[in-house]
């Protein structure tokens, strides 16, 4: 039974026919040069337009905001023009699409940065992780992340402006709205978490200061496109790329209360149920409690993601834990996922080897149910 999953719901100015959202999914197949969506990318999104809402793959707001090979951007005119074709294809199939806006901060490599500069971060601390770069032969390979440079106040202000411009361009490209990526250990999350932020100025120290960048970005983007077209994605208790916070209840509680003021389209939280990718011992036992607390504190529409299937999604909606459920890997493998969930049809399994980079294989060739 999936009766709750297939109830309509209003999100901002949009009437969604059901609650099955396509989670943002980096697939590293943007056209080169220029990190521009291609015909293949258009086809991929068109195939998945039966989602109640598509959230695009994370899309860098500037060159400085890029950290992995072949991810698309939303700063050049060519990118705007190409994304326009994605949005048109989704709309022609009666879909709804928000673009996820991304700045990776320190999770980058000089090869992506303007003038080969060091990547930027709240603090110049070593980063536990690697990123995917392009080698001299144009092949993808893992690269070490250098110790980043600490952002100046001026540098932070420039990034807030880049978010504003990117939101404007996303709407110019025909997107219905934008999602601010504030999780997964990328720039905004690096400011939020005490472990990655040792600043002594207005952007560090107290959790109110650590949340300042997020709130300034939200404010700028809301000014640009209107709150009802803006969502925010957070990963409280996430450990990816060296995240960790001394007071997560207070930090994320404060953030959610602060976000309540804007009347955003939605809040999107990720639970650490990344089956097969996060080891149990890395999951903080407090996350379940925190998600519940944030649910209580948040006054708007809530999307949850992370390891859901038809049954657990249905239960989460029935219990009021969430209003919509975003599916990641199931949507990679099942372009017609809403229909399969509604009719109880079997699911194709995702092929992890083709998640990042490559061609149509493992991308647009997953079959529809007959
Ligand atoms: C992701 N995820 C992710 N999250 C995000 O906010 N922006 C992104 O671009 C990506 N990219 C991405 C790529 C791939 C291949 C995977 C598997 C995951 C996380 C994703 O949105 C989702 O939260 C997780 O996959 C958990 O949901 P599922 O897959 O268990 O339904």
């Amino acid at each position: 039974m999936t009766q709750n999953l297939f109830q309509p719901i209003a999100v901002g100015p949009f009437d969604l026919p059901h609650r099955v959202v396509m989670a943002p999914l980096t697939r590293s197949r943007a056209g080169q040069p220029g990190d521009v969506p291609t015909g293949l990318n258009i086809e991929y999104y068109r195939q998945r337009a039966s989602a109640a809402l598509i959230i695009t793959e994370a899309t860098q707001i500037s060159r400085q905001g890029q950290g992995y090979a072949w991810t698309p951007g939303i700063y050049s005119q060519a990118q705007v023009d190409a994304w326009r074709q994605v949005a048109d294809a989704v709309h022609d199939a009666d879909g709804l699409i928000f673009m996820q806006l991304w700045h990776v901060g320190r999770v980058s490599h000089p090869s992506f940065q303007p003038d080969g500069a060091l990547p930027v971060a709240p603090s110049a601390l070593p980063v536990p992780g690697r990123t995917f770069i392009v080698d001299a032969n144009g092949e993808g390979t893992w690269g070490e992340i250098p110790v980043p440079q600490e952002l100046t106040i001026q540098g932070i202000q420039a990034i807030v402006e880049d978010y504003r411009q990117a939101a404007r361009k996303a709407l110019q490209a025909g997107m219905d709205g934008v999602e601010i990526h504030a999780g997964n250990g990328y720039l905004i999350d690096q400011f939020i978490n005490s472990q990655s932020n040792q600043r002594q100025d207005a952007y560090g120290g107290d959790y109110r200061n650590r949340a300042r960048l997020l709130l300034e970005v939200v404010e700028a983007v809301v000014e640009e496109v209107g709150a009802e077209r803006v969502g925010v994605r957070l990963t409280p208790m996430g450990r990816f790329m060296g995240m960790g916070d001394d007071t997560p209840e207070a930090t994320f509680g404060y953030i959610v209360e602060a976000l309540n003021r804007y009347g955003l389209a939605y809040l999107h939280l990720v639970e650490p149920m990344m089956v097969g990718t996060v080891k149990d011992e890395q999951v903080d036992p407090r996350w379940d409690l925190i998600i519940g607390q944030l649910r209580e504190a948040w006054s708007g529409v809530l999307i949850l993601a992370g390891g859901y299937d038809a049954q657990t999604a249905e239960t989460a909606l029935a219990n009021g834990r969430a209003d919509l459920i975003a599916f990641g890997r199931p949507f990679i493998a099942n372009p017609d996922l809403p229909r399969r969930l509604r009719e109880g049809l079997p699911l194709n399994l995702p092929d992890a080897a083709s998640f990042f980079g490559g061609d149509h294989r493992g991308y647009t060739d997953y079959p529809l149910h007959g």
Side-chain angles (χ1 to χ4, degrees), residues 52-135:
L53 166 66
I54 291 176
I55 303 162
T56 70
E57 64 206 280
T59 301
Q60 59 263 9
I61 60 167
S62 62
R63 277 190 62 206
Q64 186 197 60
Q66 179 172 2
Y68 300 87
W70 310 312
T71 56
I74 183 71
Y75 50 90
S76 74
Q77 189 58 44
Q79 290 162 344
V80 172
D81 295 343
W83 277 116
R84 157 70 66 183
Q85 295 182 57
V86 173
D88 286 351
V90 169
H91 291 147
D92 286 348
D94 288 331
L96 189 69
I97 182 165
F98 275 38
M99 176 178 282
Q100 193 185 47
L101 300 182
W102 194 25
H103 191 305
V104 296
R106 67 188 196 174
V107 184
S108 185
H109 187 270
S111 61
F112 298 120
Q113 296 295 310
D115 304 321
L118 283 174
V120 299
S123 302
L125 299 166
V127 184
R130 290 186 302 167
T131 187
F132 204 68
I133 62 174
V134 184
D135 70 14

Side-chain angles (χ1 to χ4, degrees), residues 48-241:
R48 287 160 180 77
S50 67
L53 166 66
I54 291 176
I55 303 162
T56 70
E57 64 206 280
T59 301
Q60 59 263 9
I61 60 167
S62 62
R63 277 190 62 206
Q64 186 197 60
Q66 179 172 2
Y68 300 87
W70 310 312
T71 56
I74 183 71
Y75 50 90
S76 74
Q77 189 58 44
Q79 290 162 344
V80 172
D81 295 343
W83 277 116
R84 157 70 66 183
Q85 295 182 57
V86 173
D88 286 351
V90 169
H91 291 147
D92 286 348
D94 288 331
L96 189 69
I97 182 165
F98 275 38
M99 176 178 282
Q100 193 185 47
L101 300 182
W102 194 25
H103 191 305
V104 296
R106 67 188 196 174
V107 184
S108 185
H109 187 270
S111 61
F112 298 120
Q113 296 295 310
D115 304 321
L118 283 174
V120 299
S123 302
L125 299 166
V127 184
R130 290 186 302 167
T131 187
F132 204 68
I133 62 174
V134 184
D135 70 14
N137 303 320
E139 301 290 326
T141 181
W142 289 102
E144 295 302 322
I145 298 176
V147 174
Q149 52 172 318
E150 180 179 314
L151 275 162
T152 60
I153 297 282
Q154 214 178 13
I156 294 173
Q157 287 166 348
I159 289 172
V160 173
E161 191 53 30
D162 285 342
Y163 272 100
R164 181 197 302 275
Q165 296 298 333
R168 176 186 301 171
K169 289 190 164 82
L171 274 277
Q172 278 171 4
M175 295 289 150
D176 298 296
V178 295
E179 176 176 284
I180 296 166
H181 191 352
N184 286 3
Y186 298 116
L187 182 71
I188 295 175
D189 212 16
Q190 291 157 26
F191 272 82
I192 292 173
N193 281 273
S194 55
Q195 203 153 310
S196 45
N197 183 345
Q198 297 185 349
R199 299 179 74 91
Q200 312 274 324
D201 61 9
Y203 293 88
D206 181 53
Y207 58 75
R208 291 179 191 80
N209 282 353
R210 287 186 271 114
R212 190 177 306 278
L213 174 64
L214 168 62
L215 299 179
E216 288 183 357
V217 168
V218 168
E219 209 136 299
V221 170
V222 162
E223 265 174 29
E224 200 58 47
V225 304
E228 71 283 2
R229 292 176 187 273
V230 179
V232 170
R233 193 176 217 222
L234 298 169
T235 53
M237 315 299 301
R239 295 287 175 85
F240 187 60
M241 289 289 175

